[in-house]
């Protein structure tokens, strides 16, 4: 995908600390991260479970401070290390970036995932099976895919299976509720639209935050902690909103 207006890309991660990012860990209030799940190591934003005795379904998300509606987001990720003790088997080399996330301050302590759209990252298992990355998952949301409404929770992309600890570049084009497109190493791997709230695969939330069929055209960006260590770098955003008239 061609890149325009290079000079307008803004860095969301300074490589030094977590300025402008705040955690929400299941079982804790927004802003609390007693086990230091999210840290900066050697200039990389790192999700670590070194201080966990047991994962205990403590799904976490690190939220950027500003909500957006129309933008391009790009970042690089790689899976590292061993899965957290007690993490579910399906979460092995499984993480993601959430877009159109609800305000984290509206998430009660018991809530597991933000109502959002997840660009799901998966790593290969070196077992010969296909396990593409940059898939779509929909905690508390619905989409229109290939022209049809679907309540399928996760839809696989056409991306390749990526093994081991390779760095992977992800780009996400977000145009309100009309279109979200995923790119892996510069190649488009899926696109969909018609984003609304509703459905399942989220728990512990306030019921009024998930009305069935409400258009979802804006929200927060968050990085996921789902039980496997992962690192991020070069997190950048190009805001596509038209500036308000002066």
């Amino acid at each position: 995908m061609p890149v325009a207006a290079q000079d307008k890309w803004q860095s969301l991660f300074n490589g030094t600390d977590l300025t402008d990012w705040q955690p929400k860990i299941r079982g804790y209030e927004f802003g609390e991260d007693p086990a230091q799940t999210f840290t900066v190591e050697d200039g990389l934003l790192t999700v670590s479970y070194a201080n966990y005795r047991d994962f205990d379904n403590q799904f976490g998300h690190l939220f950027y401070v500003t909500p957006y509606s129309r933008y391009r987001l790009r970042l690089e990720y790689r899976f590292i290390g061993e899965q957290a003790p007690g993490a579910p088997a399906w979460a092995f080399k499984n993480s993601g970036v959430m877009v159109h996330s609800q305000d984290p301050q509206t998430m009660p302590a018991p809530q597991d995932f933000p109502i959002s759209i997840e660009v799901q990252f998966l790593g290969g298992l070196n077992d010969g099976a296909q396990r593409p990355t940059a898939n779509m998952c929909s905690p508390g949301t619905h989409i229109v895919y290939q022209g049809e409404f679907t309540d399928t929770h996760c839809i696989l992309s056409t991306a390749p299976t990526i093994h081991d600890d390779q760095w992977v570049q992800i780009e996400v084009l977000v145009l309100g509720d009309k279109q979200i497109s995923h790119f892996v190493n510069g190649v488009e791997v899926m696109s969909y639209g018609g984003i609304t709230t509703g459905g399942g695969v989220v728990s512990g939330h306030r019921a009024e935050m998930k009305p069935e069929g409400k258009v979802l055209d804006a929200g927060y960006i968050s990085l996921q902690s789902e039980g496997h260590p992962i690192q991020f770098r070069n997190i950048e955003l190009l805001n596509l909103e038209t500036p308000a008239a002066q």
Side-chain angles (χ1 to χ4, degrees):
M1 184 170 69
V3 175
Q6 287 272 8
D7 59 327
K8 295 184 180 180
W9 284 91
Q10 65 180 100
S11 178
L12 304 187
F13 169 55
N14 63 21
T16 302
D17 56 35
L18 296 180
T19 297
D20 294 330
W21 295 87
Q22 286 287 324
K24 172 63 183 76
I25 310 289
R26 186 184 191 189
Y28 298 93
E29 299 296 334
F30 173 60
E32 298 179 355
D33 184 9
Q36 295 183 302
T37 312
F38 299 101
T39 61
V40 180
E41 298 180 7
D42 300 323
L44 304 174
L45 198 161
T46 301
V47 178
S48 170
Y49 304 98
N51 297 323
Y52 280 63
R53 291 186 177 180
D54 187 85
F55 185 67
D56 195 27
N57 292 326
Q58 294 177 78
F59 301 107
H61 299 81
L62 186 69
F63 285 81
Y64 189 68
V65 68
T66 306
Y68 295 98
S69 177
R70 297 170 53 87
Y71 58 95
R72 288 165 60 181
L73 173 72
R74 64 187 181 194
L75 57 81
E76 295 174 76
Y77 77 85
R78 68 175 179 184
F79 289 106
I80 59 172
E82 301 297 325
Q83 191 178 25
W90 55 260
F92 183 78
K93 289 192 175 180
N94 186 339
S95 188
V97 59
M98 326 297 274
V99 300
H100 284 352
S101 294
Q102 72 184 97
D103 184 339
Q105 297 188 72
T106 66
M107 295 176 64
Q111 188 168 341
D112 49 4
F113 304 103
I115 296 162
S116 59
I117 293 290
E118 177 187 354
V119 181
Q120 182 196 53
F121 306 153
L122 293 179
L125 304 180
N126 290 302
D127 60 357
Q130 296 300 304
R131 200 174 190 234
T133 193
N135 308 302
M136 187 292 307
C137 295
S138 55
T141 53
H142 295 305
I143 66 167
V144 172
Y145 180 64
Q146 296 182 341
E148 296 185 1
F149 173 87
T150 178
D151 58 3
T152 301
H153 173 52
C154 289
I155 298 175
L156 297 180
S157 77
T158 60
T161 301
I162 300 175
H163 297 283
D164 305 320
D165 59 354
Q166 298 179 57
W167 282 105
V168 184
Q169 184 189 66
I170 297 291
E171 185 165 335
V172 189
L173 171 66
V174 181
L175 301 176
D177 65 303
K178 307 301 184 191
Q179 179 184 344
I180 298 179
S181 299
H182 304 181
F183 299 79
V184 176
N185 296 330
V187 177
E188 182 174 346
V189 296
M190 73 182 311
S191 187
Y192 50 91
I195 317 302
T196 57
T197 58
V201 200
V202 60
S203 66
H205 59 288
R206 290 160 38 187
E208 67 270 20
M209 298 304 300
K210 193 168 64 68
E212 192 70 28
K214 181 180 179 181
V215 169
L216 182 59
D217 62 358
Y220 291 80
I221 295 165
S222 63
L223 303 173
Q224 194 169 58
S225 159
E226 204 163 37
H228 198 111
I230 187 171
Q231 292 181 314
F232 301 93
R233 68 182 184 186
N234 298 329
I235 307 171
E236 300 175 302
L237 182 138
L238 178 63
N239 194 347
L240 300 178
E241 290 291 340
T242 302
Q246 299 297 316

